Amino acid sequence: MNEYIQTLVDANKLNLSVSKGRWNFDENPYIISGPCSVESEEMIVDWALKMKGIGVNALRGGAYKPCTYPIRDSIGDWKEGLREQGLEFLRTASKESGLPIVSEIMAVSQINEHSLDCIDIIQVGTRNFQNYSLLDELGKLDIPILLKRGTWATIDEILGACERILVGGNNKVAICLRGIVGAPSYRHVFPSIRWAPDIMMIPALKELCDIPIIYDPSHSTGYRNFVPAIAKAAIAAGADGLNIESHPNPELSISDADQAITSQTLLNILKEIR
Ligand code: PEP
Ligand code: MN
């Protein structure tokens, strides 16, 4: 190990020691899939059953959605997500399908009895990756946290953010890698691409810690045609699972329509990686 890596490992002793008796997903690769946003009760329940049928391990769906433009991105009742009602729909989808739920919490005020009852794995979104008061609160819980990498984050910042949750006593942390800054090189030809995948971060983190790594090929490509290739690349590089956006009618998704894939495309990916 070179000096720099040794320093990082030393600096993260706690992280490494806590992760010794580490929590992990029961299945490997662990597949999380579902729409970017919960759009209606019927849609999310039907999709949960579909996901269960093709062998997905957990259903994702955003109830609290951090939109880039809070007004411009709203559609009817859907204002930065269906919020508490969306959580309720997710709970029903879980009951009907038996799948655990992955959904984002954006603020400390959203951690309450209701949200904890509806969500099995709390997603921290890229925008909150270094929201220390949120991470400190999540560290006090005994519920798995899927911490999405900030689009800007360096490897030491990733370890530091994980440590912040671990130090509170919650050792159920998984890192979700997604795209990072650097996409402009694609944008002239592929306008929906906002971020660049960083596959090398998978072996780099594996060298330093044993925290499970979930890779998100949807937000890291922004373009559905590239999702299968990057999903397979992430598994080949050592990821423990995937977080993939899928939708019954991808082009009509309320949010992130350019990157959603069909259940058939998802099934093809699963066949190749399992
Ligand atoms: C999402 O998973 O839908 C999401 C908002 O992701 P990110 O925080 O990575 O943008
Ligand atoms: Mn999304």
Side-chain angles (χ1 to χ4, degrees), residues 35-37 60 65 123 148 178 216 218-219 245 255-256 259:
C36 179
S37 302
R60 60 150 290 143
K65 291 304 300 180
Q123 177 170 307
K148 293 195 91 173
R178 44 92 83 222
D216 173 347
S218 308
H219 293 85
E245 289 188 344
S255 53
D256 285 344
Q259 68 200 33

Side-chain angles (χ1 to χ4, degrees), residues 24-31 55-58 100 214 240-241 274:
N24 210 338
F25 297 101
D26 297 337
E27 294 89 7
N28 194 316
Y30 190 85
I31 308 299
V56 162
N57 303 110
I214 297 289
D240 299 288
R274 277 183 168 151

Side-chain angles (χ1 to χ4, degrees), residues 54-263:
I54 65 172
V56 162
N57 303 110
L59 177 75
R60 60 150 290 143
Y64 298 112
K65 291 304 300 180
C67 293
T68 302
Y69 298 104
I71 305 295
R72 206 184 307 176
D73 293 342
S74 291
I75 306 171
D77 286 347
W78 194 95
K79 290 194 172 51
E80 293 205 272
L82 295 178
R83 308 178 73 81
E84 289 74 21
Q85 193 187 31
L87 289 178
E88 206 58 52
F89 295 163
L90 284 166
R91 177 159 54 187
T92 307
S94 176
K95 271 200 193 120
E96 298 280 325
S97 65
L99 288 178
I101 299 299
V102 179
S103 199
E104 178 166 354
I105 288 285
M106 286 169 55
V108 172
S109 59
Q110 292 164 358
I111 305 173
N112 52 49
E113 218 175 299
H114 182 242
S115 62
L116 294 179
D117 196 42
C118 299
I119 303 176
D120 299 284
I121 299 177
I122 295 179
Q123 177 170 307
V124 177
T126 195
R127 295 160 181 84
N128 273 313
F129 164 78
Q130 283 178 317
N131 178 340
Y132 291 157
S133 33
L134 180 62
L135 301 190
D136 286 344
E137 285 307 307
L138 296 174
K140 296 177 189 163
L141 304 177
D142 184 26
I143 172 171
I145 308 297
L146 188 65
L147 175 64
K148 293 195 91 173
R149 177 188 187 177
T151 54
W152 63 90
T154 57
I155 189 164
D156 39 349
E157 288 170 333
I158 296 174
L159 293 171
C162 290
E163 184 171 308
R164 194 165 272 279
I165 297 170
L166 293 166
V167 74
N170 186 350
N171 76 339
K172 299 190 178 81
V173 179
I175 301 165
C176 182
L177 297 176
R178 44 92 83 222
I180 58 170
V181 288
S185 40
Y186 298 90
R187 292 213 84 170
H188 299 99
V189 178
F190 300 104
S192 74
I193 294 180
R194 294 161 75 198
W195 313 106
D198 180 15
I199 299 285
M200 189 160 67
M201 189 54 81
I202 300 168
L205 283 168
K206 287 286 177 196
E207 183 140 333
L208 300 178
C209 68
D210 59 2
I211 294 175
I213 298 175
I214 297 289
Y215 196 85
D216 173 347
S218 308
H219 293 85
S220 58
T221 60
Y223 181 50
R224 80 179 105 264
N225 291 2
F226 295 170
V227 168
I230 299 303
K232 287 180 270 179
I235 295 297
D240 299 288
L242 299 168
N243 180 1
I244 305 185
E245 289 188 344
S246 58
H247 194 282
N249 226 323
E251 308 79 41
L252 301 183
S253 303
I254 281 189
S255 53
D256 285 344
D258 295 318
Q259 68 200 33
I261 59 171
T262 61
S263 56

